Amino acid sequence: MSVEPSTISSRGSASIDPTDAVPEGDLESPEVLHVDDLPDDRFSNREMSWLAFNERVLTLAEDESQPLLERAKFLAIFASNLDEFYMVRIAGLKRRASTGLQVTSADGLSPRKILGRLSERISNLVDRHARCFKDVVNPELEDQGIHIRRWDALDAHEHAQLAEYFESKVFPVLTPLAVDPSHPFPYISGLSLNLAVLVRDPDEQVQRFARVKVPNNVPRFVVVSESPTESEFLPIEDLIAAHLSMLFPGMEVVEHHVFRVTRNADFEVEEDRDEDLLQALERELSRRRFGPAVRLEVTDDIDPDIVTLLASEIEVADDAIMRVPGLLDLSSLHQVYDVDRPSLKERPFVPTTNPRFAEGETPKSVFATLRDGDVLVHHPYESFATSTQRFIEQAAADPNVLAIKQTLYRTSGDSPIVDALIDAAEAGKQVVALVEIKARFDEQANIKWARALERAGCHVVYGFVGLKTHCKTALVVRQEGNLIRRYAHVGTGNYNPKTARMYEDLGLFTADPSICADLTDLFNVLTGYSRQTEYRSLLVAPQGIRAGLIERIEREIELARAGRPALIRFKTNHLVDEETIDALYRASMAGVQVDLLVRTFCTIKAGVPGLSDNIRTRSILGRFLEHSRVYYFGGDGDPEYWIGSADLMHRNLDRRVEVLCQVTDRASRGHLQDCLDLAFDENISAWDLQPDGEWVRSNGEHRDLQELLIKRLATRRE
């Protein structure tokens, strides 16, 4: 880590120079390792690989074997995913295309060419998504007593009931905005639903345009009626449209249409060593609200003249206008999913407590447990509350604990982790929290937590200039007689109890002196002037992870060349780093079996003769978001297992502080081995990447990996 002799501001932000860090959204990459025997077209397009991932999400919504409300949830996830894709990736591509610079991605395409290829594919997926809801899922919801009504389908009694709700809850927060020579076209905030309204003055017979914003602080679907077997909803925009005359008394409402705008959120903090990092971020957050529009969504029955007006005023090109059949913003189907109908959802399960952390139903001291050896927990199958949360809470309450040091990237609105850190500080313990205030879309929440921690007396560091601190680490220092002993947690997921119930993640608890010493050194780098770049038992980015992984890939290559068994298995969210991919290609060409489990972005080509014959790439989607990162090297019978927060992307390896930790405990390694074996079992339901770049769903028994793990870990607990 190339550290300048910098200052720590009054807000606690350290200054560090990651050798001209590239903004997170950019396609420009570090210089790729050129290998003469590898073809130029060896990388797939990153954005197209993301669309393939979201298509897999849509396939789950279309899958009739999925419980009905789970299908509605996958429709909502698809919509939310696409929103973020436009806000970040499409926005970034448009920005680069507008500069006129012909900067190409690793597959040789310019931003303009990528946008052209994406346009038709997105249009087809959006139409398929809308029709899946309109023609299939919604009618099936109706059959099950879950109704999304339109205003005209309700009776007089329901109209009267909803009119009362409108007048008391909705009408007071509405503000109709006229557009005329004295009223300029209003600013349309990103992702908000809006009504474009045409009204006519009965005296002058002149039509005028107005915009009504649908408030985002009331539910999207108004409950019309609810019982154990029937639920009836009305879209809030229908309720507002039915009462437009109250907003424009004395005027005739001619027509109305719903529209939605997506804006660029691909901003970068202009970080200055002499400026408070918190102030710089708050300035950029205010700018984000006013980013240029990158998409205009309208219903497919909208008046063409209204579309022309909206496009002109919002300043979007024709290719950024998306006509959608049916309801806009199906991400709101999460509200429908919350209906209490267990028979229409995956069977509920209660996470178990790792047996090392309890005697029957009685919790054990985490510290006493770790003195006997490491513990690996697997969320959400094993409880976050009785492992990670309890670790921090016991440390906060233990009078022998002297200090707690922790990184916080994303946490929840009501965070027991933050509460425990505040309790610890108020009890007189030394508490250091590195709160990454640049975590995209969680900036405001993290600023709030950072200030709350500061008020309680915690030492808060807001991160580095030029780098995000993405590692998930915690260190507890405890006085034990005449000894000072340290305890640590290294995880693959955030310290967030809510996402820990939905994200699949791993966490290693240890009192290993080497790992704890490494984390002590790392926290000194994060909070002070330490220039340390080498560690005993950790791989740390931005220097060590890519180099460490490639070194181990090369070791497997040498084993294969010597005729010995060689195997590499990676489980990661994203695989786009060219140097790592080239190393995997070389491994395949040397005869190493390479198994890859990649959830989302994936630019490697699998099974291509002469290039990647020995590379098998899979993707698994299910009720939980596959989120853990595991890196395995066979070592000819002396295997290595590494877990941590780093995906194989430029941003993770070059522009973030990331940590990978080696797992050496025999039982923990056994669990990781079982999980990897299951993931690559031909009878597990998964998508396999084909040599032509298409993802094909497996035709085996379609056993569900996550259901198998629920059963296995529950059995282990019993």
Side-chain angles (χ1 to χ4, degrees):
M1 202 174 288
S2 176
V3 181
E4 296 286 314
S6 58
T7 59
I8 306 279
S9 80
S10 60
R11 287 288 183 186
S13 59
S15 177
I16 193 165
D17 179 8
T19 62
D20 296 326
V22 182
E24 184 166 326
D26 280 2
L27 289 175
E28 294 90 359
S29 63
E31 183 176 345
V32 175
L33 176 66
H34 296 289
V35 181
D36 293 338
D37 55 355
L38 295 178
D40 292 338
D41 63 349
R42 62 191 182 273
F43 304 114
S44 300
N45 179 261
R46 169 177 168 162
E47 275 65 34
M48 295 299 288
S49 77
W50 184 91
L51 281 186
F53 154 71
N54 214 28
E55 184 175 11
R56 297 195 290 277
V57 175
L58 180 56
T59 300
L60 291 177
E62 297 168 333
D63 186 349
E64 294 181 358
S65 69
Q66 292 282 337
L68 182 57
L69 284 174
E70 301 296 337
R71 297 172 68 186
K73 181 185 73 176
F74 284 120
L75 287 172
I77 292 171
F78 176 96
S80 297
N81 286 348
L82 194 61
D83 285 346
E84 186 168 332
F85 186 66
Y86 264 90
M87 293 163 67
V88 179
R89 298 305 305 172
I90 295 292
L93 286 167
K94 284 179 177 288
R95 174 172 57 81
R96 286 184 286 279
S98 68
T99 65
L101 297 176
Q102 293 302 306
V103 178
T104 59
S105 59
D107 61 342
L109 296 177
S110 68
R112 197 173 300 279
K113 286 186 177 179
I114 296 172
L115 287 168
R117 293 193 178 187
L118 291 173
S119 179
E120 182 178 356
R121 183 82 177 270
I122 291 174
S123 179
N124 291 337
L125 287 176
V126 166
D127 185 71
R128 184 172 144 192
H129 172 248
R131 296 192 184 281
C132 177
F133 173 70
K134 184 170 176 281
D135 299 337
V136 181
V137 172
N138 194 39
E140 291 187 21
L141 289 171
E142 291 271 350
D143 292 342
Q144 295 295 328
I146 301 173
H147 311 282
I148 299 177
R149 301 291 196 207
R150 307 314 294 256
W151 180 259
D152 292 342
L154 303 178
D155 60 31
H157 173 72
E158 290 167 329
H159 282 178
Q161 172 188 330
L162 290 167
E164 182 179 338
Y165 175 83
F166 175 81
E167 290 183 30
S168 63
K169 303 291 186 183
V170 181
F171 179 72
V173 300
L174 295 178
T175 304
L177 296 175
V179 177
D180 58 32
S182 62
H183 298 89
F185 195 90
Y187 175 78
I188 309 296
S189 54
L191 301 186
S192 63
L193 278 177
N194 302 269
L195 293 179
V197 185
L198 279 183
V199 296
R200 180 185 296 120
D201 186 324
D203 296 329
E204 300 177 3
Q205 291 299 307
V206 175
Q207 288 193 164
R208 303 190 185 280
F209 178 89
R211 171 259 192 161
V212 178
K213 179 180 178 179
V214 176
N216 56 11
N217 55 358
V218 295
R220 166 70 187 285
F221 294 114
V222 180
V223 177
V224 180
S225 63
E226 197 159 26
S227 73
T229 57
E230 297 280 334
S231 297
E232 196 170 17
F233 299 99
L234 177 75
I236 185 71
E237 62 267 30
D238 274 26
L239 180 62
I240 295 171
H243 295 86
L244 285 173
S245 59
M246 292 180 62
L247 294 170
F248 304 98
M251 302 290 284
E252 176 188 349
V253 178
V254 178
E255 58 183 299
H256 67 272
H257 302 279
V258 182
F259 70 96
R260 186 171 182 255
V261 173
T262 308
R263 294 193 174 275
N264 183 350
D266 181 42
F267 78 100
E268 57 190 82
V269 180
E270 296 176 2
E271 300 176 63
D272 189 315
R273 298 183 190 286
D274 299 322
E275 182 181 22
D276 187 309
L277 183 58
L278 182 63
Q279 291 177 351
L281 181 66
E282 289 179 321
R283 181 188 64 242
E284 294 303 328
L285 286 175
S286 66
R287 290 182 187 175
R288 177 190 282 175
R289 293 183 54 244
F290 300 99
V294 293
R295 178 179 59 168
L296 170 63
E297 293 174 275
V298 297
T299 55
D300 59 358
D301 60 354
I302 192 171
D303 185 322
D305 291 337
I306 297 294
V307 176
T308 301
L309 172 66
L310 292 173
S312 173
E313 295 290 350
I314 297 169
E315 299 181 339
V316 294
D318 288 346
D319 61 2
I321 301 171
M322 191 171 288
R323 292 170 172 81
V324 179
L327 288 173
L328 298 186
D329 186 19
L330 292 184
S331 66
S332 54
L333 287 176
H334 282 295
Q335 183 185 345
V336 176
Y337 176 81
D338 289 337
V339 169
D340 187 17
R341 297 289 295 277
S343 64
L344 302 180
K345 301 180 184 181
E346 294 276 11
R347 66 178 182 83
F349 88 104
V350 178
T352 65
T353 295
N354 186 290
R356 293 281 306 284
F357 285 143
E359 292 279 2
E361 298 301 318
T362 305
K364 292 171 61 178
S365 164
V366 174
F367 307 117
T369 299
L370 297 185
R371 285 196 293 273
D372 293 333
D374 296 352
V375 178
L376 183 77
V377 294
H378 199 169
H379 309 305
Y381 314 106
E382 294 178 303
S383 169
F384 179 89
T386 61
S387 58
T388 311
Q389 182 178 323
R390 183 176 291 166
F391 175 56
I392 302 300
E393 289 176 339
Q394 285 190 0
D398 188 335
N400 294 318
V401 167
L402 306 176
I404 303 172
K405 303 180 182 184
Q406 186 162 10
T407 59
L408 294 172
Y409 190 73
R410 302 185 197 274
T411 187
S412 59
D414 50 343
S415 174
I417 296 289
V418 173
D419 291 343
L421 294 177
I422 290 173
D423 290 344
E426 291 176 344
K429 304 182 194 308
Q430 293 293 309
V431 177
V432 175
L434 191 143
V435 182
E436 182 48 77
I437 58 174
K438 292 176 287 183
R440 179 177 277 149
F441 304 126
D442 278 293
E443 299 94 344
Q444 293 284 12
N446 284 5
I447 289 171
K448 184 189 91 169
W449 287 126
R451 286 176 167 155
L453 288 163
E454 278 185 328
R455 287 193 298 270
C458 301
H459 302 293
V460 178
V461 178
Y462 286 153
F464 293 121
V465 171
L467 290 177
K468 287 184 180 180
T469 303
H470 188 251
C471 56
K472 323 315 184 183
T473 56
L475 183 69
V476 172
V477 182
R478 191 170 187 265
Q479 181 81 47
E480 297 179 0
N482 295 324
L483 297 175
I484 297 290
R485 193 187 297 269
R486 293 172 290 194
Y487 301 86
H489 171 264
V490 178
T492 67
N494 297 304
Y495 291 104
N496 187 326
K498 291 185 178 178
T499 57
R501 294 193 290 268
M502 300 177 287
Y503 287 20
E504 177 272 338
D505 271 305
L506 295 160
L508 179 70
F509 295 88
T510 183
D512 181 276
S514 178
I515 294 174
C516 291
D518 277 350
L519 285 179
T520 299
D521 292 341
L522 177 62
F523 275 104
N524 289 340
V525 170
L526 295 176
T527 63
Y529 294 131
S530 170
R531 294 177 179 235
Q532 180 158 333
T533 59
E534 295 184 2
Y535 297 83
R536 308 159 189 81
S537 300
L538 302 178
L539 297 177
V540 179
Q543 298 85 13
I545 290 182
R546 180 190 286 112
L549 293 179
I550 290 178
E551 176 186 337
R552 286 160 178 79
I553 293 171
E554 296 291 347
R555 196 164 64 203
E556 295 298 314
I557 290 173
E558 292 304 314
L559 288 172
R561 287 174 176 164
R564 296 160 67 184
L567 175 63
I568 295 169
R569 283 179 163 177
F570 287 177
K571 179 181 184 296
T572 184
N573 296 311
H574 312 295
L575 173 57
V576 300
D577 181 65
E578 290 87 5
E579 283 191 55
T580 307
I581 291 173
D582 280 347
L584 293 172
Y585 282 145
R586 293 197 305 274
S588 172
M589 294 167 70
V592 179
Q593 177 60 43
V594 179
D595 292 340
L596 304 172
L597 188 62
V598 185
R599 191 190 76 224
T600 310
F601 289 117
C602 181
T603 59
I604 200 168
K605 294 186 175 182
V608 177
L611 175 68
S612 55
D613 308 72
N614 294 311
I615 294 178
R616 176 173 53 159
T617 305
R618 312 195 91 189
S619 183
I620 292 177
L621 280 72
R623 68 188 291 184
F624 309 129
L625 181 81
E626 292 288 330
H627 192 250
S628 66
R629 294 87 163 178
V630 181
Y631 300 101
Y632 167 88
F633 302 91
D636 187 19
D638 185 19
E640 290 186 10
Y641 299 82
W642 295 80
I643 67 167
S645 54
D647 288 311
L648 301 179
M649 304 180 76
H650 307 141
R651 71 184 187 194
N652 296 87
L653 303 181
D654 299 313
R655 304 192 295 277
R656 289 183 172 182
V657 180
E658 300 274 18
V659 167
L660 294 183
C661 179
Q662 187 173 4
V663 178
T664 58
D665 172 72
R666 189 170 75 173
S668 301
R669 287 155 57 105
H671 178 69
L672 293 176
Q673 183 69 54
D674 287 346
C675 291
L676 291 172
D677 287 345
L678 276 175
F680 292 105
D681 188 311
E682 294 294 339
N683 292 315
I684 288 294
S685 181
W687 279 263
D688 293 296
L689 181 60
Q690 305 301 303
D692 62 1
E694 294 298 314
W695 292 85
V696 176
R697 202 168 186 183
S698 58
N699 293 317
E701 299 174 12
H702 291 298
R703 300 166 69 201
D704 188 286
L705 171 69
Q706 296 177 350
E707 288 298 319
L708 284 173
L709 288 174
I710 288 174
K711 293 175 183 175
R712 286 194 178 195
L713 288 169
T715 301
R716 183 178 76 170
R717 177 72 180 92
E718 292 167 2

